[in-house]
Amino acid sequence: MKKEELIKIIEEFKQNYLNTQQGKKHLEAYNKEREEVRKIFNEIRERKERGEDVTKLVLDYLLPIKRQSVTPAGVKTIEAYYKRAGESLSEEDLPKLADAIFNLINELVNNADDENKQKEIINKFVSSPYSRGLQSGIISPILYYIEPKYLLINIKVVDTVRFISREFMHQEIRLSTSLEEYIANNAKLKGFLEVLSKEAPEFKDFDVFDMFCHWMCDKNLGGYARRVVYVPHEEREAIELAQTTDDPKVLEELYKQQKEKPRVVKAIVNNPYCPSNIKRDYLDYVLNNYLRAYRARLRTYITDWDELLDAMEICLEVWNPPREVAPIPEIDLEDPRMREIFESLQNYKQVILYGPPGTSKTYYAKGLAFAIANDQNNIEFVQFHPSYSYEDFVEGIFPEVNEDTGQVTFKIEDKIFKRLCKEAERNPDKNYVLIIDEINRADLSKVFGEIFSALEYRKEAVKLLYSRESLVIPTNLYIIGTMNTLDKSTIDIDFALMRRFKFFEIGPDKEVLRKILKENGVENDLIEKIIDVFEKIQEFYPLGHAYFKDVKSKQDLKLLWEHQLSFLLKEYFTDLKKDVYERIKEIYWEGLGLED
């Protein structure tokens, strides 16, 4: 175990959360909720003995859905929970469901020392028509508050245990929120905590550990468990990671967090997988933050010091390597717009982000995908184009040559969508996401074929064209499409697709542009000029903010116009609207103070 790094994270949690006023209130909330749950549970027991209806008490007050809970369910009603799981409830179902849930909890509490009996009880419930996809995130908090031998297991606990075991222990521990696996996961979690509490005795109190999981998963707090890439605090370990990784994304995140440490940067740029844009950015960083600071002292020794620096700056301005890896996607779920898309994706399973080019549609799609899946390995990406077909997407018949006999046979081969459906079906406790970039560039009726209907009715099986297998799209598979509304070569979206997706417009955003420019180190005066020009151009053309992602100086703005925007706008407006093109050019060059 890498004790030092783990202890630093735990100390950060204690200092910045556990020992604060906010943390103390959070901790007190567990005891209040424990008292409330036990009181409700006992009341339900008494009412059942008297033969009274306990439906409302179970569904609205015992389950952590409607009541104020320190371990919220993320939905406001039991109906919404089932809808999210791809199920539906009728009024007649509710009393039977309430009885089944209460009997499950009551029997588990009465058999807290018998694991075999516990598994029997859960398997019986899961095989009943009333389980309807209920996971341990809903049931385990009740069990934990009534009988502490049962630990609380939700997605935050799952992510935190996986992160800590992967980064700091010898073997990664994967829990799941599947109710069917709850007893085995409960034993795993106890073993994990036994090891962890040797380093952090506070975690012998599970309330504190659950708080830690909340802190580890909230990006506004610690956020470590939900980061795509974890970077060590210690310089020695950061250097070791920079020397050994073969992942450019790790190097990018390492550079972003350790830029001020030359020894770490040296290891990063020496790595053969280091993207060129890191090297360019570091030269720019050293030039402007160090070399210019020594101007007064060194010009006495080097007479042409200023010219030397100016020559270096020109070289950097001209050398503007393309990004070799995409930025690590991160979205702000506190942003009402992103939150709305995220919740629609959770509930409806498939959305399309549409808008003009350069508005970060693909970036947002990747960020939403990670927020749903919490694991890059569970995300697949495909880009449609006019020749894309059913045989590329679902399944097809392909020739195979026997190397010994030379005989040609034909076999059915599963493609990306079918493979992902099968994987999602095998792992119901995990979420999977398929991103379809440029979804409207293909003939969608041909690509989707008979699975069009399965998109609308997730529990209905369809017969596939070649294999004649029955395919059901699992409820834990989510689809995010992106659509460029200005692309003249795209194929029109038909009404069948419109009915099966929720559509969200992603437009040019001056605040996102401002953030990009600030992160690039652009001076404030120039940022405001760019924002002003950007807004004025919107009156004529929906110019996306992402076109400015590599802008760091006036020279970059000049190159952007000459080699990208000029061609783009000429193609869009053509000779028929040459005056509009000239007006935009005037706004751009004069507004930014550029010279030919």
Side-chain angles (χ1 to χ4, degrees):
M1 183 187 287
K2 303 171 188 174
K3 291 184 183 178
E4 300 83 1
E5 284 297 318
L6 176 57
I7 289 167
K8 278 188 177 179
I9 290 175
I10 294 168
E11 286 301 318
E12 185 183 340
F13 158 70
K14 285 157 62 176
Q15 184 178 341
N16 295 342
Y17 193 69
L18 181 61
N19 297 331
T20 65
Q21 200 61 35
Q22 183 185 4
K24 287 171 184 173
K25 283 182 181 177
H26 191 157
L27 198 55
E28 286 168 9
Y30 287 97
N31 286 328
K32 287 180 183 175
E33 187 162 4
R34 189 171 283 110
E35 288 173 15
E36 184 183 356
V37 169
R38 288 178 178 178
K39 180 182 173 185
I40 294 166
F41 183 71
N42 290 331
E43 186 180 346
I44 293 169
R45 266 182 170 171
E46 291 168 9
R47 288 196 180 190
K48 276 186 75 69
E49 285 173 7
R50 296 198 295 267
E52 296 177 20
D53 181 17
V54 295
T55 303
K56 191 169 181 62
L57 267 177
V58 173
L59 301 184
D60 289 356
Y61 297 99
L62 187 62
L63 293 184
I65 290 180
K66 275 196 175 179
R67 64 181 167 82
Q68 290 293 314
S69 173
V70 74
T71 54
V75 287
K76 294 179 180 176
T77 64
I78 191 71
E79 291 87 349
Y81 181 86
Y82 280 114
K83 185 180 177 185
R84 190 170 74 179
E87 300 281 357
S88 60
L89 280 175
S90 66
E91 284 295 320
E92 295 76 30
D93 288 327
L94 297 179
K96 295 173 185 175
L97 173 65
D99 278 343
I101 290 172
F102 176 77
N103 291 337
L104 168 71
I105 293 163
N106 194 38
E107 287 182 44
L108 286 172
V109 169
N110 292 336
N111 291 276
D113 296 315
D114 187 342
E115 281 196 13
N116 290 328
K117 185 66 177 171
Q118 291 161 13
K119 288 176 183 175
E120 242 178 73
I121 293 164
I122 286 178
N123 287 336
K124 180 183 173 185
F125 176 78
V126 168
S127 62
S128 77
Y130 308 112
S131 66
R132 307 279 183 102
L134 276 176
Q135 302 295 334
S136 63
I138 293 285
I139 301 298
S140 66
I142 310 166
L143 290 170
Y144 172 61
Y145 290 132
I146 297 168
E147 171 50 70
K149 288 180 181 177
Y150 295 107
L151 300 181
L152 191 160
I153 299 178
N154 56 24
I155 193 65
K156 290 181 180 180
V157 173
V158 169
D159 287 350
T160 301
V161 169
R162 185 179 178 192
F163 170 81
I164 290 177
S165 61
R166 183 184 70 228
E167 297 293 343
F168 305 115
M169 296 181 174
H170 298 301
Q171 187 175 1
E172 183 176 309
I173 297 171
R174 289 198 179 204
L175 305 178
S176 81
T177 56
S178 166
L179 188 58
E180 201 169 359
E181 297 175 36
Y182 173 69
I183 301 305
N185 284 326
N186 194 47
K188 268 196 220 177
L189 182 54
K190 285 178 180 177
F192 168 82
L193 287 170
E194 192 177 332
V195 175
L196 187 63
S197 59
K198 290 175 184 175
E199 306 302 330
E202 298 86 357
F203 293 156
K204 288 179 181 176
D205 180 348
F206 189 81
D207 287 357
V208 176
F209 179 72
D210 187 63
M211 277 179 68
F212 177 65
C213 294
H214 167 73
W215 182 84
M216 287 286 286
C217 292
D218 190 325
K219 72 175 192 130
N220 297 316
L221 298 174
Y224 291 102
R226 296 275 171 88
R227 288 183 186 172
V228 181
V229 178
Y230 170 70
V231 173
H233 290 77
E234 287 291 335
E235 185 174 302
R236 176 179 53 80
E237 293 202 350
I239 290 171
E240 184 183 344
L241 178 61
Q243 290 171 333
T244 55
T245 185
D246 59 359
D247 187 344
K249 282 189 181 295
V250 172
L251 292 169
E252 286 229 327
E253 186 64 16
L254 195 57
Y255 173 70
K256 184 178 169 185
Q257 295 189 35
Q258 304 274 356
K259 192 175 184 176
E260 293 80 14
K261 297 179 180 176
R263 280 186 287 272
V264 177
V265 177
K266 181 180 176 183
I268 292 170
V269 297
N270 267 330
N271 187 308
Y273 296 95
C274 175
S276 298
N277 56 283
I278 287 180
K279 300 170 185 176
R280 193 259 187 222
D281 186 84
Y282 192 65
L283 289 173
D284 188 64
Y285 172 75
V286 171
L287 172 67
N288 289 299
N289 290 276
Y290 291 98
L291 296 183
R292 293 203 181 279
Y294 288 95
R295 173 177 288 178
R297 187 183 305 175
L298 290 175
R299 42 171 63 148
T300 56
Y301 301 101
I302 305 172
T303 53
D304 52 357
W305 178 249
D306 289 344
E307 286 73 18
L308 181 70
L309 296 188
D310 290 342
M312 185 183 289
E313 187 160 30
I314 291 167
C315 288
L316 285 172
E317 286 174 353
V318 174
W319 179 45
N320 193 15
R323 289 198 64 130
E324 293 166 20
V325 294
I328 294 167
E330 184 180 347
I331 58 165
D332 181 8
L333 289 179
E334 299 304 314
D335 176 351
R337 180 183 60 162
M338 282 297 119
R339 187 76 206 171
E340 182 187 6
I341 302 173
F342 177 72
E343 289 178 354
S344 291
L345 182 58
Q346 280 186 314
N347 294 329
Y348 202 73
K349 309 295 182 187
Q350 46 230 25
V351 302
I352 286 178
L353 310 182
Y354 71 94
T359 52
S360 307
K361 296 181 292 297
T362 304
Y363 179 85
Y364 290 138
K366 289 178 179 179
L368 287 162
F370 186 76
I372 288 284
N374 288 314
D375 187 340
Q376 290 282 31
N377 296 318
N378 296 349
I379 300 168
E380 291 285 353
F381 182 94
V382 63
Q383 190 172 64
F384 280 4
H385 50 77
S387 61
Y388 207 83
S389 68
Y390 179 92
E391 290 76 14
D392 299 311
F393 189 59
V394 184
E395 65 174 14
I397 299 176
F398 297 91
E400 191 176 66
V401 180
N402 186 306
E403 291 183 3
D404 297 325
T405 65
Q407 188 174 359
V408 177
T409 57
F410 291 87
K411 68 168 188 174
I412 295 169
E413 191 175 310
D414 295 348
K415 291 300 181 178
I416 186 168
F417 186 77
K418 186 178 174 185
R419 289 200 305 267
L420 199 56
C421 284
K422 286 182 175 180
E423 190 173 348
E425 197 169 18
R426 284 194 299 269
N427 300 285
D429 59 311
K430 298 177 183 177
N431 288 336
Y432 291 81
V433 184
L434 175 64
I435 299 172
I436 305 176
D437 204 31
E438 306 285 4
I439 191 169
N440 59 324
R441 283 180 61 82
D443 185 333
L444 297 174
S445 297
K446 287 183 179 178
V447 172
F448 281 95
E450 66 283 336
I451 63 173
F452 244 138
S453 61
L455 286 171
E456 190 167 10
Y457 303 104
R458 285 292 182 103
K459 288 291 184 181
E460 266 188 28
V462 292
K463 290 278 185 189
L464 297 181
L465 179 63
Y466 297 111
S467 65
R468 306 307 295 162
E469 289 178 33
S470 291
L471 178 76
V472 173
I473 302 177
T475 56
N476 59 327
L477 173 59
Y478 300 79
I479 302 169
I480 306 173
T482 71
M483 190 171 81
N484 176 3
T485 50
L486 292 189
D487 192 339
K488 297 172 186 175
S489 67
T490 57
I491 296 164
D492 290 337
I493 289 274
D494 61 23
F495 286 104
L497 185 83
M498 288 181 184
R499 199 175 69 249
R500 287 163 171 81
F501 283 82
K502 294 282 188 187
F503 286 76
F504 293 89
E505 185 174 11
I506 306 294
D509 191 323
K510 69 174 184 180
E511 293 309 320
V512 174
L513 174 58
R514 182 177 273 111
K515 183 182 175 186
I516 290 169
L517 297 172
K518 280 186 177 178
E519 287 178 354
N520 286 354
V522 178
E523 294 176 0
N524 288 334
D525 287 348
L526 185 54
I527 288 177
E528 293 313 313
K529 285 180 181 178
I530 295 171
I531 297 292
D532 183 54
V533 165
F534 179 75
E535 287 187 296
K536 287 177 179 174
I537 290 176
Q538 301 305 320
E539 297 173 21
F540 304 95
Y541 179 85
L543 183 65
H545 46 263
Y547 282 105
F548 295 82
K549 64 183 175 62
D550 295 318
V551 167
K552 295 183 179 179
S553 65
K554 278 193 173 185
Q555 178 68 16
D556 291 335
L557 288 164
K558 188 176 176 182
L559 293 171
L560 173 62
W561 177 269
E562 290 175 345
H563 303 297
Q564 204 165 8
L565 297 184
S566 177
F567 177 79
L568 173 77
L569 295 169
K570 280 179 180 176
E571 283 292 302
Y572 184 77
F573 290 111
T574 70
D575 288 339
L576 295 174
K577 292 187 178 178
K578 192 174 180 182
D579 58 323
V580 180
Y581 167 81
E582 293 297 338
R583 177 66 186 127
I584 294 174
K585 182 179 179 181
E586 182 185 344
I587 290 169
Y588 190 91
W589 283 76
E590 290 185 5
L592 298 174
L594 303 179
E595 297 177 2
D596 288 321

